[in-house]
Each structure stands twice: as C-alpha cells, then as structure tokens.
C-alpha cells in the first residue's frame, strides 16, 4: 500500500510538472512572435495574451507600442505606463521609485531592446531606463547649429544604435545653410553620442520635414514627411518617402501629391514584405479641404497603391497606422475636422495587398476624444487606439463595446 501511494504521488507530481511546462511553453510561443522589444524585461508575469476582448479605458494617452511578454507600453500625458492585454496597468517606473515625466508630444515614442523607451521633444532625444534596471538612461541635445534643429521621432536600430529625424527652422535666405535641405536624419550610438547628421530636401527653401522613421530590412533607414515642390510663396509640399543607407547616403526618394497643394506624411511602418506603408493628408482644393492619404510602397521605392479618403466636410487626416496580427487589415487612425464644429476620431481599414477599403468608422462619440494619435496591433488580431481622454481596444474591423 505504501509503495502504491508513493508511486501515485510521483505520477501526480510528474503530471503537474508536465502541465506547468506545457502551459509555460504555449505562453512563450504565443508571445514570442509578437514582442517588439525588451525581451529581457521580466518585471511582471503576463496573465493574458491574445485574449479576445474589447474595452475602453479612461486613460489619456498620446501613443502606444507593443512591449515584451504580450504587454503594451503606453505614453500617457502623465507619464509612461505598462498595460496587459485586458487593460490592467502593471507595476512599472513609478512603482519602482523611478518617476518618469509625462510624454509631452505625440511624436517620438518607441520601446528599446532593454525594456526602456525613447521620447523626443523639441531639441532632444531621451532614452529612459527599464523599470527594473535604473541607471542607463541618457539624453542627447541637438548641437547648436547655424539654424535651430527640432526632432520629431527616434528609434533604436537592430544593431543597437539610434536614429533621430526632424526639421530645421527659419528661411535659409541666400547664405550659410541654404545649400542644404531642411529635413535631417541623425545617427547616435548608445549613450547619445552623435555619429553623423545629414540634411535632405529642396535647396534654398524652408519647411522640409521628417515626421517619422523606421528601419529597413537591409539596415537602411526610411523617413517620411513633407518636401517642398519648389521655393515659392505658398510653400506647397509633397508626401515624401526617403531611404538612406546605414551611413546616411541617399538610396531613393519618392514624392507623392498634386502640384500647388499641401501633401504630408505623418507616420510610417514597415510591412512584412520589406516594403512600407505611410499615412497623412493631402489638400484637394484651394480652400484647404483635405483628404486622408495612405500609401503602400515597395522596399525599392515603387508605389504599390495610393489611396485618398474623406475630404467631405473640410479635413480628414491620418495620424498613425498599424497592421493587425493576421496581416489582413491595415488600420489608419486619425481625425475628422468638420466645418464649424469640434473634430472627432475617424478610422479607416484597408486590404494591405490591394488597397481596397474595408471599412470607415466615423461615428465614435466625441466623449472618447477629438482625434486618435496612435494605434498598435493587439495580440488578439484587433487594434488599440489612443486618444485623449481614452484608450480603446477594438476588433480588426474597428468595433468595440463600451460599458458605462
């Protein structure tokens, strides 16, 4: 009897161990292909991953990105937060006595491979330490050049360096820095040490701008923004892609838009085939009426498709975009600005291969925000958008439930 009891106990112990191992393995498999950065960060064990749900949080947020272990990093107006799949805010910087300042801009927010994140604001790039390993943060201030430089976005590269992009203010006039374009790309090494900074755009004109940047599969850099058509009174510009190699040498440039109109790209993502997608706005008449624009471009700069939407009732703008987990919906998050009224959130969904529009969401109440400034693919095939005062998790077609 004693032997039978011991064997039975051993079997239960082995079965329990096998069950735990299988559960842990499934969790790792479900998260590993979705984690964007910070693989070594383990400040909180994930309880949810890929759970099918929608919700609305009263969380003023300007941007959001995937974090490690099926979590998200949220840039709130009161500071950065870590959130799980069902909307729980997890222990992070403030819980470890590491007060992180609020993120004051909708531009320049991205996780880093060590579990920290980058922010940009006016004339600096700041690298924050991970919440469980303080002490390795730094800030790079743009050097004092002849004309003021302003940074809009920064990312970490696959080799551990950092890229910052932005614009240069002022009319260059007839001397000095007029012989260079007014949009810049800078490469930094860890610690915020400048390796190089190069300028691109129309010569002898102001206003060329890079808004966002992403790394290409070959280690090059693709930045998007607006480039002036020519030096003239109205400063009309084009929706602009520019690729450089790892040393900052131009590989290709692609301008999209209509002459004597304003066309601007505000966000870019890399697509699974190595190409890119970007969104922004384009004016469609001389009265300032604007449509949202979204463009797919190949890794070599060839336009695959180019779509505009809206423009009825003043202005439609795309601020951010994301591809869902199943790679069959490309969502654009943005704003509808009617004549004589407050703006509101507007969303568009596209087939990423053909550019066919799948849906338009134009009826989200203003209580959820006056526009959406960030979007990320969730782990359950849906999306999460940020606004102020709300963060909304929705399915792949933009549907969500709000429990008052």
């Amino acid at each position: 009897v004693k032997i039978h009891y011991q064997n039975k106990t051993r079997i239960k112990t082995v079965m329990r161990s096998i069950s735990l191992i299988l559960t842990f393995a499934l969790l790792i498999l479900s998260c590993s292909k979705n984690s964007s950065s910070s693989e070594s960060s383990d400040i909180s064990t994930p309880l949810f991953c890929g759970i099918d749900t929608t919700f609305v949080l009263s969380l003023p947020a300007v941007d959001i990105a995937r974090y490690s272990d099926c979590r998200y990093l949220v840039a709130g107006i009161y500071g950065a937060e870590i959130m799980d799949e069902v909307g729980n805010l997890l222990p992070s910087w403030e819980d470890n006595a590491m007060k992180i300042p609020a993120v004051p801009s909708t531009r320049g927010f991205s996780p880093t491979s060590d579990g920290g994140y980058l922010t940009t604001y006016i004339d600096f790039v700041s690298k924050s330490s991970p919440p469980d390993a303080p002490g390795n943060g730094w800030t790079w201030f743009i050097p004092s050049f002849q004309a003021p430089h302003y940074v809009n976005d920064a990312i970490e590269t696959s080799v551990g360096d950092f890229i910052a992009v932005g614009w240069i203010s002022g009319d260059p006039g007839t001397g000095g820095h007029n012989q260079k374009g007014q949009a810049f790309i800078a490469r930094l090494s860890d610690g915020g040490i400048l390796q190089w900074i190069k300028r691109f755009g129309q010569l002898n004109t102001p206003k060329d701008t890079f808004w966002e940047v992403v790394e290409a599969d070959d280690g090059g850099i693709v930045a998007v923004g607006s480039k002036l058509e020519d030096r003239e009174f109205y400063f009309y510009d084009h929706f602009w892609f520019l690729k450089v190699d790892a040393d900052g040498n131009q590989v290709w440039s692609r301008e999209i838009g209509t002459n004597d109109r304003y066309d601007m790209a505000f966000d870019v993502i890399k697509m699974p085939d190595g190409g890119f997608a970007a969104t922004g706005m384009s004016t469609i008449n001389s009265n300032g009426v604007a449509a949202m624009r979204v463009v797919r471009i190949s890794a070599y700069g060839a336009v695959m498709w180019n779509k505009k939407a809206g423009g009825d009732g003043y202005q439609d703008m795309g601020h951010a975009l994301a591809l869902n987990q199943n790679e069959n919906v490309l969502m654009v998050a943005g704003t509808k600005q009617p004549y004589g009224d407050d703006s509101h959130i507007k969303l568009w969904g596209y087939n990423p291969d053909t550019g066919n529009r799948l849906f338009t969401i134009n009826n989200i109440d203003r209580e959820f925000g006056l526009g959406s400034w960030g979007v990320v693919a969730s782990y359950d095939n849906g999306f999460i958008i940020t606004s102020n005062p709300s963060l909304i998790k929705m399915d792949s077609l933009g549907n969500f439930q709000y429990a008052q």
Side-chain angles (χ1 to χ4, degrees):
V1 174
K2 183 177 180 181
I3 294 173
H4 174 74
Y5 175 77
Q6 289 176 337
N7 289 338
K8 187 175 181 181
T9 300
R10 291 192 185 99
I11 291 172
K12 286 183 177 180
T13 301
V14 170
M15 293 301 292
R16 188 180 296 112
S17 300
I18 292 173
S19 177
L20 289 172
I21 291 171
L22 287 174
T23 300
F24 184 66
L26 287 172
L27 183 60
I28 290 175
L29 288 173
S30 65
C31 292
S32 60
K33 70 175 183 177
N34 300 319
S35 299
S36 63
S37 61
S38 180
E39 295 300 332
S40 62
S41 178
D42 59 356
I43 63 171
S44 178
T45 301
L47 299 177
F48 308 99
C49 188
I51 186 170
D52 190 9
T53 185
T54 67
F55 57 78
V56 177
L57 294 182
S58 295
L59 180 62
V62 293
D63 207 351
I64 186 169
R66 285 189 172 195
Y67 200 55
S68 63
D69 296 328
C70 302
R71 298 171 296 175
Y72 306 93
L73 187 60
V74 181
I77 63 173
Y78 303 115
E81 302 278 3
I82 296 175
M83 186 183 76
D84 68 15
E85 184 73 4
V86 295
N88 296 314
L89 297 181
L90 305 176
S92 59
W93 288 269
E94 294 190 20
D95 302 273
N96 289 281
M98 294 173 62
K99 177 67 176 177
I100 297 296
V103 179
S105 172
T106 60
R107 297 293 171 187
F109 175 78
S110 61
T112 53
S113 58
D114 64 353
Y117 63 89
L118 295 171
T119 55
T120 67
Y121 189 60
I122 304 180
D123 62 348
F124 67 84
V125 177
S126 182
K127 161 59 172 71
S128 296
S129 303
D132 56 345
N136 66 345
W138 47 261
T139 298
W140 174 68
F141 287 93
I142 298 177
S144 296
F145 294 110
Q146 179 181 350
H149 289 48
Y150 298 98
V151 61
N152 286 328
D153 191 29
I155 59 169
E156 183 182 16
T157 71
S158 57
V159 297
D161 289 338
F162 302 87
I163 299 293
V165 299
W167 61 287
I168 300 165
S169 71
D171 189 329
T174 58
H177 68 116
N178 68 308
Q179 297 306 311
K180 299 179 180 178
Q182 304 302 293
F184 75 84
I185 301 176
R187 191 178 192 102
L188 313 174
S189 55
D190 195 18
I193 301 171
L194 180 64
Q195 296 184 24
W196 51 256
I197 184 167
K198 298 187 179 183
R199 292 163 55 169
F200 304 89
Q202 194 71 260
L203 301 185
N204 196 29
T205 60
K207 204 188 171 193
D208 294 327
T209 303
F210 288 136
W211 283 109
E212 294 281 332
V213 63
V214 68
E215 186 178 14
D217 283 342
D218 62 2
I221 301 299
V222 172
V224 298
S226 57
K227 179 183 177 183
L228 263 67
E229 296 176 2
D230 201 352
R231 183 178 177 85
E232 42 74 37
F233 180 77
Y234 293 102
F235 298 123
Y236 295 118
D237 46 18
H238 284 159
F239 190 108
W240 187 24
F241 293 84
L242 179 86
K243 182 178 180 182
V244 299
D245 63 21
D247 296 317
N249 302 308
Q250 181 172 318
V251 178
W252 52 257
S253 178
R254 180 68 61 200
E255 299 173 46
I256 298 169
T258 305
N259 288 338
D260 298 337
R261 295 289 183 267
Y262 299 103
D263 301 277
M264 309 172 190
F266 297 140
D267 192 25
V268 62
I269 60 173
K270 188 170 69 68
M271 301 295 284
D273 63 356
F276 308 92
T279 190
M281 62 160 284
S282 294
T283 56
I284 57 178
N285 64 27
S286 59
N287 296 322
V289 175
M292 182 278 298
R293 187 187 288 271
V294 57
V295 180
R296 275 284 326 261
I297 198 167
S298 75
Y300 305 102
V303 175
M304 300 169 64
W305 52 260
N306 172 20
K307 304 290 182 178
K308 289 187 288 187
D312 51 332
Y314 201 39
Q315 291 187 338
D316 292 81
M317 297 185 186
H319 296 299
L321 73 171
L323 183 68
N324 71 334
Q325 182 92 346
N326 287 354
E327 301 177 357
N328 60 358
V329 179
L330 180 67
M331 177 179 277
V332 176
T335 301
K336 174 71 174 183
Q337 176 64 67
Y339 281 109
D341 203 351
D342 289 334
S343 61
H344 59 264
I345 296 169
K346 190 168 183 179
L347 309 173
W348 298 263
Y350 288 85
N351 180 312
D353 297 321
T354 65
N356 294 331
R357 198 189 318 171
L358 304 175
F359 61 83
T360 302
I361 307 294
N362 193 32
N363 59 354
I364 298 177
D365 196 275
R366 290 183 176 90
E367 69 173 298
F368 298 113
L370 302 182
S372 178
W373 314 106
V375 60
V376 69
S378 59
Y379 300 103
D380 64 350
N381 198 43
F383 298 95
I384 302 176
I385 67 169
T386 61
S387 183
N388 186 2
S390 303
L391 182 147
I392 306 173
K393 185 170 186 284
M394 54 189 57
D395 65 20
S396 61
L397 299 179
N399 302 307
F400 66 95
Q401 294 182 340
Y402 177 54
Q404 293 184 336

